[in-house]
Amino acid sequence: MTEGKIKLRKEDTVQIIAGKDKGKRGKIIKILRDKDRVVVEGANIVKKAMKRKSQQDRGGIIEVEASLHISNVMIVCKKCGPTRIGYKMDGETKQRVCKKCGEAL
Ligand SMILES: [Zn+2]
């Protein structure tokens, strides 16, 4: 099993620790492994202008989640809040755990 720098997974709940959405929590909806970035639901919203595709299409502004660098998010432990990811061997399988309290993540 190869492991990249990103220990986070899709669906993980993370807290934003820097930038305009600092303190906000959300689920990871996308991981950009080659860029060390993640997209978090409802966080780092940016407005994008859409081009008109046809005469009927009014185009306009849509809001989308922009990616965040992994150093700006922290996984949230159910017990103690934002934390770092540690690993524990559970028999043959490596388990992700909270570095603070040891709770499985
Ligand atoms: Zn914990």
Side-chain angles (χ1 to χ4, degrees), residues 42-96:
N44 204 21
I45 300 286
V46 291
K47 288 187 166 72
K48 259 191 184 173
M50 295 293 288
K51 266 193 186 157
R52 282 172 53 165
K53 290 187 199 89
S54 67
Q55 286 290 322
Q56 287 77 37
D57 188 359
R58 289 166 56 223
I61 309 288
I62 56 154
E63 295 190 335
V64 291
E65 288 105 342
S67 64
L68 293 150
H69 194 260
I70 47 164
S71 62
N72 294 333
V73 302
M74 274 184 110
I75 192 150
V76 175
C77 167
K78 276 177 243 130
K79 276 189 181 171
C80 51
T83 188
R84 289 181 178 278
I85 296 171
Y87 288 99
K88 191 177 82 178
M89 289 307 288
D90 181 21
E92 291 288 294
T93 52
K94 212 174 181 186
Q95 213 185 8
R96 288 193 320 172

Side-chain angles (χ1 to χ4, degrees), residues 11-47:
E11 299 287 304
D12 278 347
T13 299
V14 292
Q15 183 161 327
I16 317 300
I17 55 166
K20 64 174 171 135
D21 285 326
K22 194 173 167 181
K24 215 180 225 183
R25 286 183 190 187
K27 261 187 191 170
I28 292 180
I29 50 176
K30 202 173 176 187
I31 296 179
L32 309 161
R33 295 200 179 273
D34 50 336
K35 294 191 182 110
D36 289 337
R37 299 179 79 87
V38 293
V39 179
V40 179
E41 195 176 40
N44 204 21
I45 300 286
V46 291
K47 288 187 166 72

